[in-house]
Each structure stands twice: as C-alpha cells, then as structure tokens.
C-alpha cells in the first residue's frame, strides 16, 4: 500500500460483475450528498472493490465517511495523489 489510507472493502461480486477483477476506487466529493450516495451504491450493488479512497476539500480532510460498514479517512483532493486508482468517480 502507498502512503494514503486506502481501505480494503470485501464484498461478494454479483453476477453482473462475475469475472471482473476488484478495482481500486476513488470518490471525489465523498463528504457531499452525491458522494455519500456513490459510496453507498458501490457497496449495495456488489461492485468488486479492492479498496476505496475518499477525496474532498481541505475543510473535510481528516474526517471519515462510511462505505460497506468501514470508515474511510477523507483525503485533501488538492494534495492527494491518485496513484494506484483504477477508477475515480466525481460528484
């Protein structure tokens, strides 16, 4: 793992994602209404996720958001590196 706090999320893949390798996902705007819903939908839909990183403004950095029953520390979008992400979702 790199210097960021990527949180592994263990979920069983639904049939729609069968055979798909788990992804390292970043959610930008994770502390807002849409970002919170994105995190919830990722968990509910059984998207194969290896890890989730949450990004937001400096004001929200250091706070936590929930995904699949795990707390994820929010990173400052302006200074965080996207290194290691396969997919980034922007809200």
């Amino acid at each position: 793992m790199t210097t960021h706090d990527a949180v592994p999320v263990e979920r069983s893949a639904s049939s729609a994602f069968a055979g798909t390798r788990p992804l390292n996902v970043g959610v930008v705007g994770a502390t807002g209404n849409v970002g919170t819903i994105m995190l919830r939908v990722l968990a509910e839909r059984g998207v194969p996720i290896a890890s989730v990183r949450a990004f937001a403004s400096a004001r929200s950095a250091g706070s936590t958001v929930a995904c699949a029953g795990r707390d994820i520390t929010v990173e400052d979008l302006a200074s965080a590196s996207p290194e290691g992400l396969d997919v980034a979702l922007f809200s």
Side-chain angles (χ1 to χ4, degrees):
M1 212 184 273
T2 58
T3 58
H4 51 74
D5 291 328
V7 177
V9 177
E10 294 182 25
R11 302 286 299 165
S12 59
S14 68
S15 60
F17 298 107
T20 303
R21 77 172 176 84
L23 300 170
N24 297 305
V25 178
V27 177
V28 177
T31 58
N33 289 332
V34 174
T36 302
I37 292 170
M38 285 180 171
L39 291 167
R40 187 179 75 220
V41 169
L42 285 170
E44 288 175 353
R45 301 296 170 137
V47 176
I49 298 174
S51 67
V52 174
R53 291 174 60 197
F55 302 94
S57 68
R59 185 180 63 209
S60 296
S63 64
T64 59
V65 293
C67 182
R70 311 263 324 250
D71 287 333
I72 302 168
T73 302
V74 177
E75 300 177 52
D76 179 2
L77 177 62
S79 61
S81 168
E83 179 182 357
L85 292 179
D86 297 311
V87 175
L89 304 173
F90 292 78
S91 65

Coordinates of all heavy atoms in Angstrom, one line a residue:
M1 N 0.8 -1.2 0.0 CA 0.0 0.0 0.0 C 0.9 1.2 0.0 O 2.0 1.2 0.6 CB -0.9 0.0 1.2 CG -2.2 0.6 1.0 SD -3.3 0.6 2.5 CE -4.1 -0.9 2.4
T2 N 0.4 2.3 -0.6 CA 1.2 3.5 -0.6 C 0.9 4.4 0.6 O 0.3 3.9 1.6 CB 0.9 4.3 -1.9 OG1 -0.5 4.6 -1.9 CG2 1.3 3.6 -3.1
T3 N 1.3 5.6 0.6 CA 1.1 6.5 1.8 C -0.3 6.9 2.1 O -0.5 7.3 3.2 CB 2.0 7.7 1.6 OG1 1.5 8.4 0.5 CG2 3.5 7.4 1.5
H4 N -1.2 6.7 1.2 CA -2.6 7.0 1.5 C -3.3 5.9 2.3 O -2.8 4.9 2.5 CB -3.4 7.4 0.2 CG -3.2 6.3 -0.8 ND1 -3.9 5.1 -0.7 CD2 -2.5 6.2 -1.9 CE1 -3.6 4.4 -1.7 NE2 -2.7 5.0 -2.5
D5 N -4.5 6.2 2.8 CA -5.2 5.3 3.6 C -6.3 4.6 2.8 O -7.5 4.7 3.1 CB -5.9 6.0 4.8 CG -4.9 6.4 5.8 OD1 -3.8 5.8 5.9 OD2 -5.1 7.5 6.4
A6 N -6.0 3.8 1.8 CA -6.9 3.1 1.0 C -7.5 2.0 1.9 O -6.8 1.3 2.6 CB -6.3 2.4 -0.2
V7 N -8.8 1.9 1.9 CA -9.5 0.9 2.8 C -10.0 -0.3 1.9 O -10.8 -0.1 1.0 CB -10.7 1.6 3.5 CG1 -11.4 0.6 4.3 CG2 -10.2 2.7 4.4
P8 N -9.5 -1.5 2.3 CA -10.0 -2.7 1.5 C -11.5 -2.9 1.9 O -11.9 -2.7 3.0 CB -9.1 -3.8 2.1 CG -8.1 -3.2 2.9 CD -8.5 -1.8 3.2
V9 N -12.2 -3.2 0.9 CA -13.6 -3.5 1.1 C -13.9 -4.9 0.5 O -13.7 -5.1 -0.6 CB -14.5 -2.4 0.3 CG1 -16.0 -2.8 0.5 CG2 -14.2 -1.1 0.8
E10 N -14.4 -5.8 1.4 CA -14.7 -7.1 1.0 C -16.1 -7.3 0.7 O -17.0 -7.1 1.6 CB -14.2 -8.1 2.1 CG -12.8 -8.1 2.3 CD -12.3 -9.1 3.3 OE1 -13.1 -10.1 3.5 OE2 -11.3 -8.9 3.9
R11 N -16.5 -7.5 -0.5 CA -17.8 -7.7 -1.0 C -17.9 -8.8 -2.0 O -17.0 -9.0 -2.8 CB -18.4 -6.4 -1.7 CG -18.3 -5.2 -0.9 CD -19.3 -5.1 0.1 NE -20.7 -5.1 -0.5 CZ -21.8 -5.4 0.2 NH1 -21.7 -5.6 1.5 NH2 -22.9 -5.4 -0.3
S12 N -18.9 -9.6 -1.9 CA -19.1 -10.7 -2.9 C -19.6 -10.0 -4.2 O -20.5 -9.2 -4.1 CB -20.0 -11.8 -2.4 OG -21.3 -11.2 -2.1
A13 N -19.0 -10.4 -5.3 CA -19.5 -9.8 -6.6 C -20.8 -10.4 -7.0 O -21.0 -11.6 -6.9 CB -18.4 -10.1 -7.6
S14 N -21.7 -9.6 -7.5 CA -22.9 -10.0 -8.1 C -22.6 -10.7 -9.4 O -21.6 -10.5 -10.0 CB -23.9 -8.9 -8.2 OG -23.5 -8.0 -9.2
S15 N -23.6 -11.3 -10.0 CA -23.4 -12.0 -11.3 C -23.1 -11.0 -12.4 O -22.4 -11.3 -13.3 CB -24.7 -12.8 -11.7 OG -25.8 -11.9 -11.8
A16 N -23.5 -9.7 -12.3 CA -23.2 -8.7 -13.3 C -21.7 -8.5 -13.3 O -21.2 -8.0 -14.3 CB -23.9 -7.5 -13.0
F17 N -21.0 -8.7 -12.2 CA -19.6 -8.4 -12.1 C -18.7 -9.7 -12.1 O -17.5 -9.6 -11.8 CB -19.3 -7.6 -10.9 CG -19.9 -6.2 -11.0 CD1 -21.0 -6.0 -10.1 CD2 -19.5 -5.2 -11.8 CE1 -21.7 -4.7 -10.2 CE2 -20.1 -4.0 -11.9 CZ -21.2 -3.8 -11.0
A18 N -19.3 -10.8 -12.3 CA -18.6 -12.1 -12.3 C -17.4 -12.1 -13.2 O -17.5 -11.6 -14.3 CB -19.5 -13.3 -12.6
G19 N -16.2 -12.5 -12.7 CA -15.0 -12.5 -13.5 C -14.3 -11.2 -13.6 O -13.3 -11.1 -14.3
T20 N -14.8 -10.1 -13.0 CA -14.2 -8.8 -13.0 C -13.3 -8.7 -11.9 O -13.6 -9.0 -10.8 CB -15.3 -7.7 -12.9 OG1 -16.2 -7.8 -14.0 CG2 -14.7 -6.3 -13.0
R21 N -12.0 -8.2 -12.1 CA -11.1 -8.1 -11.0 C -11.5 -6.9 -10.1 O -12.1 -5.9 -10.6 CB -9.7 -7.9 -11.6 CG -9.4 -6.5 -12.1 CD -7.9 -6.4 -12.4 NE -7.6 -5.1 -13.0 CZ -7.4 -4.0 -12.3 NH1 -7.4 -4.0 -11.0 NH2 -7.1 -2.8 -12.9
P22 N -11.2 -7.0 -8.9 CA -11.6 -5.9 -7.9 C -10.8 -4.7 -8.3 O -9.6 -4.7 -8.7 CB -11.1 -6.5 -6.6 CG -11.1 -8.0 -6.7 CD -10.7 -8.2 -8.2
L23 N -11.5 -3.6 -8.2 CA -10.9 -2.3 -8.5 C -10.5 -1.4 -7.3 O -11.2 -1.5 -6.3 CB -12.0 -1.5 -9.4 CG -12.4 -2.1 -10.6 CD1 -13.6 -1.4 -11.2 CD2 -11.3 -2.2 -11.7
N24 N -9.6 -0.6 -7.5 CA -9.2 0.5 -6.5 C -9.9 1.7 -7.0 O -9.7 2.3 -8.0 CB -7.7 0.7 -6.5 CG -7.0 -0.6 -6.1 OD1 -7.2 -1.1 -5.0 ND2 -6.0 -1.0 -6.9
V25 N -10.9 2.1 -6.1 CA -11.8 3.2 -6.5 C -11.6 4.4 -5.6 O -11.4 4.3 -4.4 CB -13.3 2.7 -6.3 CG1 -14.3 3.8 -6.6 CG2 -13.6 1.5 -7.2
G26 N -11.6 5.6 -6.3 CA -11.6 6.9 -5.6 C -12.9 7.6 -5.8 O -13.5 7.6 -6.9
V27 N -13.4 8.2 -4.7 CA -14.7 9.0 -4.8 C -14.3 10.4 -4.5 O -14.0 10.7 -3.3 CB -15.8 8.4 -3.9 CG1 -17.0 9.3 -4.0 CG2 -16.1 7.0 -4.3
V28 N -14.4 11.3 -5.4 CA -14.2 12.8 -5.2 C -15.5 13.4 -4.8 O -16.5 13.2 -5.5 CB -13.6 13.4 -6.5 CG1 -13.4 14.9 -6.3 CG2 -12.3 12.7 -6.9
G29 N -15.4 14.2 -3.8 CA -16.6 14.8 -3.3 C -17.4 13.9 -2.3 O -18.6 13.9 -2.1
A30 N -16.6 13.0 -1.7 CA -17.2 11.9 -0.9 C -18.0 12.4 0.4 O -18.8 11.7 0.9 CB -16.0 11.0 -0.4
T31 N -17.7 13.6 0.8 CA -18.5 14.1 2.0 C -19.8 14.8 1.7 O -20.6 15.1 2.6 CB -17.6 15.1 2.8 OG1 -17.2 16.2 2.0 CG2 -16.4 14.4 3.4
G32 N -20.0 15.0 0.4 CA -21.3 15.7 0.0 C -22.4 14.7 -0.2 O -22.2 13.5 -0.1
N33 N -23.6 15.2 -0.5 CA -24.7 14.3 -0.7 C -24.6 13.3 -1.8 O -24.8 12.1 -1.6 CB -26.0 15.1 -1.0 CG -26.5 15.9 0.2 OD1 -26.2 15.5 1.4 ND2 -27.1 17.0 0.0
V34 N -24.1 13.7 -2.9 CA -23.9 12.8 -4.0 C -22.8 11.8 -3.8 O -22.9 10.6 -4.0 CB -23.7 13.5 -5.4 CG1 -23.4 12.6 -6.5 CG2 -24.9 14.4 -5.7
G35 N -21.7 12.2 -3.2 CA -20.6 11.4 -2.9 C -20.9 10.3 -1.9 O -20.6 9.1 -2.0
T36 N -21.7 10.7 -0.9 CA -22.2 9.7 0.1 C -23.1 8.6 -0.5 O -22.9 7.4 -0.2 CB -23.0 10.5 1.2 OG1 -22.2 11.4 1.8 CG2 -23.5 9.5 2.3
I37 N -23.9 9.0 -1.5 CA -24.8 8.1 -2.2 C -23.9 7.2 -3.1 O -24.1 6.0 -3.1 CB -25.9 8.8 -3.0 CG1 -26.8 9.4 -2.0 CG2 -26.6 7.8 -3.9 CD1 -27.8 10.4 -2.7
M38 N -22.9 7.7 -3.7 CA -22.0 6.9 -4.5 C -21.4 5.8 -3.7 O -21.3 4.6 -4.1 CB -20.9 7.8 -5.2 CG -21.3 8.6 -6.3 SD -19.9 9.5 -6.9 CE -20.6 10.2 -8.4
L39 N -20.9 6.1 -2.5 CA -20.2 5.2 -1.7 C -21.2 4.1 -1.3 O -20.9 2.9 -1.3 CB -19.7 5.8 -0.4 CG -18.4 6.7 -0.7 CD1 -18.2 7.6 0.6 CD2 -17.2 5.9 -1.0
R40 N -22.5 4.5 -1.0 CA -23.5 3.5 -0.6 C -23.9 2.6 -1.7 O -24.0 1.4 -1.6 CB -24.8 4.3 -0.1 CG -25.8 3.3 0.5 CD -27.0 4.0 1.0 NE -27.8 4.4 -0.1 CZ -28.5 5.6 -0.2 NH1 -28.4 6.4 0.7 NH2 -29.2 5.9 -1.3
V41 N -24.0 3.2 -2.9 CA -24.4 2.3 -4.1 C -23.2 1.4 -4.5 O -23.5 0.2 -4.8 CB -24.7 3.2 -5.3 CG1 -24.8 2.5 -6.6 CG2 -26.0 4.0 -5.0
L42 N -22.0 1.8 -4.4 CA -20.9 0.9 -4.6 C -21.0 -0.4 -3.7 O -20.8 -1.5 -4.2 CB -19.5 1.6 -4.4 CG -19.1 2.5 -5.4 CD1 -17.9 3.3 -4.9 CD2 -18.8 1.8 -6.7
A43 N -21.3 -0.1 -2.5 CA -21.4 -1.2 -1.5 C -22.7 -2.1 -1.8 O -22.6 -3.3 -1.8 CB -21.4 -0.7 -0.1
E44 N -23.8 -1.4 -2.0 CA -25.1 -2.1 -2.2 C -25.1 -3.0 -3.5 O -25.7 -4.0 -3.5 CB -26.2 -1.1 -2.3 CG -26.6 -0.5 -1.0 CD -27.6 0.6 -1.1 OE1 -28.0 0.9 -2.3 OE2 -28.1 1.1 -0.1
R45 N -24.4 -2.5 -4.6 CA -24.5 -3.2 -5.8 C -23.5 -4.3 -6.0 O -23.5 -5.0 -7.0 CB -24.3 -2.2 -7.0 CG -25.4 -1.1 -7.0 CD -26.7 -1.7 -7.3 NE -27.7 -0.6 -7.0 CZ -28.8 -0.4 -7.8 NH1 -29.0 -1.2 -8.9 NH2 -29.6 0.5 -7.5
G46 N -22.6 -4.5 -5.0 CA -21.7 -5.6 -5.1 C -20.6 -5.4 -6.1 O -20.0 -6.3 -6.7
V47 N -20.2 -4.1 -6.4 CA -19.2 -3.8 -7.3 C -17.9 -4.4 -6.7 O -17.6 -4.2 -5.5 CB -19.0 -2.3 -7.5 CG1 -17.8 -1.9 -8.4 CG2 -20.3 -1.7 -8.1
P48 N -17.1 -5.1 -7.5 CA -15.9 -5.7 -7.0 C -14.8 -4.7 -6.7 O -14.2 -4.1 -7.6 CB -15.4 -6.7 -8.1 CG -16.0 -6.1 -9.3 CD -17.3 -5.5 -8.9
I49 N -14.6 -4.4 -5.4 CA -13.8 -3.3 -5.0 C -12.6 -3.9 -4.1 O -12.9 -4.6 -3.2 CB -14.5 -2.3 -4.2 CG1 -15.6 -1.6 -5.0 CG2 -13.6 -1.2 -3.6 CD1 -16.5 -0.7 -4.3
A50 N -11.4 -3.6 -4.5 CA -10.2 -3.9 -3.7 C -10.0 -2.9 -2.6 O -9.7 -3.3 -1.5 CB -9.0 -4.0 -4.6
S51 N -10.2 -1.6 -2.9 CA -10.1 -0.6 -1.9 C -10.8 0.7 -2.4 O -11.1 0.8 -3.6 CB -8.6 -0.2 -1.7 OG -8.0 0.4 -2.8
V52 N -11.2 1.5 -1.4 CA -11.9 2.7 -1.7 C -11.1 3.9 -1.0 O -10.7 3.7 0.1 CB -13.3 2.7 -1.1 CG1 -14.0 4.1 -1.3 CG2 -14.1 1.7 -1.8
R53 N -10.9 5.0 -1.7 CA -10.3 6.2 -1.2 C -11.4 7.3 -1.4 O -12.0 7.4 -2.4 CB -9.0 6.5 -1.9 CG -7.9 5.5 -1.6 CD -6.7 5.8 -2.4 NE -6.1 7.1 -2.1 CZ -5.2 7.7 -3.0 NH1 -4.8 7.1 -4.1 NH2 -4.8 8.9 -2.7
A54 N -11.5 8.2 -0.3 CA -12.4 9.3 -0.4 C -11.6 10.6 -0.4 O -10.6 10.8 0.3 CB -13.3 9.2 0.9
F55 N -12.1 11.5 -1.3 CA -11.4 12.8 -1.5 C -12.4 13.9 -1.4 O -13.6 13.7 -1.8 CB -10.8 12.9 -2.9 CG -9.8 11.8 -3.3 CD1 -10.2 10.6 -3.9 CD2 -8.5 11.9 -2.9 CE1 -9.3 9.6 -4.2 CE2 -7.6 11.0 -3.2 CZ -7.9 9.8 -3.8
A56 N -12.0 15.0 -0.8 CA -12.9 16.2 -0.7 C -12.0 17.4 -0.5 O -10.7 17.3 -0.6 CB -13.8 16.0 0.5
S57 N -12.6 18.5 -0.1 CA -11.8 19.7 0.1 C -11.0 19.6 1.4 O -11.2 18.8 2.2 CB -12.8 20.9 0.2 OG -13.5 20.8 1.4
A58 N -10.0 20.6 1.5 CA -9.2 20.6 2.7 C -10.0 20.7 4.0 O -9.6 20.2 5.0 CB -8.2 21.8 2.6
R59 N -11.1 21.4 3.9 CA -12.0 21.5 5.0 C -12.5 20.2 5.5 O -12.7 20.0 6.7 CB -13.2 22.4 4.6 CG -14.1 22.8 5.8 CD -15.3 23.7 5.3 NE -16.1 22.9 4.3 CZ -16.7 23.5 3.3 NH1 -16.7 24.8 3.2 NH2 -17.4 22.8 2.5
S60 N -12.7 19.2 4.7 CA -13.2 17.9 5.1 C -12.1 16.9 5.3 O -12.4 15.8 5.8 CB -14.2 17.4 4.0 OG -15.3 18.2 3.9
A61 N -10.9 17.2 4.9 CA -9.8 16.3 5.0 C -9.6 15.9 6.5 O -9.7 16.7 7.4 CB -8.5 16.9 4.5
G62 N -9.4 14.6 6.7 CA -9.3 14.1 8.0 C -10.5 13.5 8.7 O -10.5 12.8 9.6
S63 N -11.7 13.9 8.1 CA -12.9 13.4 8.6 C -13.1 12.0 8.0 O -12.3 11.5 7.3 CB -14.1 14.3 8.2 OG -14.3 14.4 6.8
T64 N -14.2 11.3 8.4 CA -14.4 10.0 7.9 C -15.8 9.9 7.2 O -16.7 10.6 7.6 CB -14.3 8.9 9.0 OG1 -15.3 9.2 10.0 CG2 -12.9 8.9 9.6
V65 N -15.8 8.9 6.3 CA -17.1 8.6 5.6 C -17.2 7.1 5.7 O -16.2 6.4 5.8 CB -17.2 9.1 4.2 CG1 -17.2 10.6 4.1 CG2 -16.0 8.6 3.3
A66 N -18.4 6.5 5.5 CA -18.6 5.1 5.6 C -18.8 4.5 4.2 O -19.4 5.1 3.4 CB -19.8 4.8 6.5
C67 N -18.3 3.3 4.1 CA -18.5 2.5 2.9 C -18.5 1.0 3.2 O -17.5 0.6 3.8 CB -17.5 2.8 1.8 SG -17.8 1.9 0.2
A68 N -19.6 0.4 3.0 CA -19.6 -1.1 3.3 C -19.3 -1.4 4.8 O -18.6 -2.3 5.1 CB -18.8 -1.9 2.3
G69 N -19.8 -0.5 5.7 CA -19.5 -0.8 7.1 C -18.1 -0.4 7.6 O -17.8 -0.7 8.7
R70 N -17.3 0.2 6.7 CA -16.0 0.6 7.1 C -15.9 2.1 7.1 O -16.5 2.8 6.2 CB -14.9 0.0 6.2 CG -15.1 -1.4 5.9 CD -14.3 -2.4 6.6 NE -12.9 -2.1 7.0 CZ -11.9 -2.7 6.5 NH1 -12.0 -3.6 5.5 NH2 -10.7 -2.4 7.0
D71 N -15.0 2.7 8.0 CA -14.8 4.1 8.0 C -13.6 4.4 7.1 O -12.5 3.7 7.2 CB -14.5 4.6 9.4 CG -15.8 4.7 10.2 OD1 -16.9 4.8 9.6 OD2 -15.7 4.6 11.5
I72 N -13.7 5.4 6.2 CA -12.6 5.8 5.3 C -12.2 7.2 5.7 O -13.1 8.1 5.8 CB -13.1 5.7 3.9 CG1 -13.6 4.3 3.5 CG2 -12.0 6.2 2.9 CD1 -14.4 4.3 2.2
T73 N -11.0 7.4 5.9 CA -10.5 8.8 6.1 C -10.4 9.6 4.9 O -9.9 9.1 3.8 CB -9.1 8.7 6.8 OG1 -9.1 8.0 8.0 CG2 -8.5 10.1 7.1
V74 N -11.0 10.8 4.9 CA -11.1 11.6 3.7 C -9.7 12.3 3.5 O -9.1 12.8 4.4 CB -12.2 12.7 3.9 CG1 -12.2 13.6 2.7 CG2 -13.5 12.0 4.1
E75 N -9.3 12.3 2.2 CA -8.0 12.9 1.8 C -8.3 14.3 1.2 O -9.3 14.4 0.5 CB -7.3 12.0 0.8 CG -6.9 10.7 1.4 CD -6.3 9.8 0.4 OE1 -5.3 10.3 -0.3 OE2 -6.8 8.7 0.1
D76 N -7.4 15.2 1.3 CA -7.5 16.5 0.7 C -7.2 16.3 -0.8 O -6.2 15.9 -1.2 CB -6.4 17.5 1.3 CG -6.4 18.8 0.7 OD1 -7.3 19.1 -0.2 OD2 -5.6 19.7 1.1
L77 N -8.2 16.6 -1.6 CA -8.1 16.5 -3.1 C -7.0 17.2 -3.7 O -6.3 16.8 -4.6 CB -9.4 16.9 -3.7 CG -9.5 16.8 -5.3 CD1 -9.2 15.3 -5.7 CD2 -10.8 17.3 -5.8
A78 N -6.7 18.4 -3.1 CA -5.7 19.3 -3.7 C -4.3 18.7 -3.5 O -3.4 19.0 -4.4 CB -5.7 20.7 -3.1
S79 N -4.0 17.9 -2.5 CA -2.7 17.4 -2.3 C -2.5 15.9 -2.4 O -1.4 15.4 -2.4 CB -2.2 17.9 -0.9 OG -3.1 17.3 0.1
A80 N -3.6 15.2 -2.5 CA -3.6 13.8 -2.6 C -3.2 13.3 -4.0 O -3.4 14.0 -5.0 CB -4.9 13.2 -2.3
S81 N -2.5 12.2 -4.1 CA -2.1 11.6 -5.4 C -3.1 10.5 -5.8 O -3.5 9.7 -4.9 CB -0.7 10.9 -5.2 OG -0.4 10.2 -6.4
P82 N -3.5 10.5 -7.0 CA -4.4 9.4 -7.5 C -3.7 8.1 -7.8 O -4.3 7.2 -8.3 CB -5.0 10.0 -8.8 CG -3.9 10.9 -9.3 CD -3.2 11.4 -8.1
E83 N -2.4 8.0 -7.4 CA -1.6 6.8 -7.7 C -2.3 5.6 -7.1 O -2.9 5.6 -6.0 CB -0.3 6.9 -7.0 CG 0.6 5.7 -7.1 CD 1.9 5.9 -6.4 OE1 2.2 6.9 -5.8 OE2 2.7 4.9 -6.4
G84 N -2.4 4.6 -8.0 CA -3.0 3.3 -7.6 C -4.5 3.2 -7.8 O -5.0 2.1 -7.7
L85 N -5.1 4.2 -8.2 CA -6.6 4.2 -8.5 C -6.8 3.6 -9.9 O -6.1 3.9 -10.9 CB -7.2 5.5 -8.5 CG -7.3 6.2 -7.1 CD1 -8.0 7.6 -7.2 CD2 -8.1 5.3 -6.1
D86 N -7.8 2.7 -10.0 CA -8.2 2.2 -11.3 C -9.4 3.1 -11.9 O -9.5 3.3 -13.1 CB -8.7 0.8 -11.2 CG -7.6 -0.2 -10.7 OD1 -6.5 -0.2 -11.3 OD2 -7.9 -1.0 -9.8
V87 N -10.2 3.6 -11.0 CA -11.4 4.3 -11.3 C -11.6 5.5 -10.3 O -11.4 5.3 -9.1 CB -12.7 3.4 -11.3 CG1 -13.9 4.2 -11.5 CG2 -12.6 2.3 -12.3
A88 N -11.9 6.6 -10.8 CA -12.3 7.8 -10.0 C -13.7 8.2 -10.3 O -14.0 8.4 -11.5 CB -11.3 8.9 -10.1
L89 N -14.5 8.4 -9.3 CA -15.9 8.9 -9.5 C -16.0 10.3 -9.0 O -15.5 10.5 -7.9 CB -16.9 8.0 -8.8 CG -16.9 6.5 -9.2 CD1 -17.8 5.7 -8.2 CD2 -17.2 6.3 -10.6
F90 N -16.5 11.2 -9.8 CA -16.6 12.6 -9.4 C -18.0 13.0 -9.2 O -18.9 12.8 -10.0 CB -16.0 13.5 -10.5 CG -14.5 13.3 -10.6 CD1 -14.0 12.2 -11.3 CD2 -13.6 14.2 -10.1 CE1 -12.6 12.0 -11.4 CE2 -12.3 14.1 -10.2 CZ -11.8 13.0 -10.9
S91 N -18.3 13.6 -8.0 CA -19.7 14.0 -7.7 C -19.8 15.5 -7.7 O -18.8 16.2 -7.7 CB -20.1 13.5 -6.3 OG -19.4 14.1 -5.3

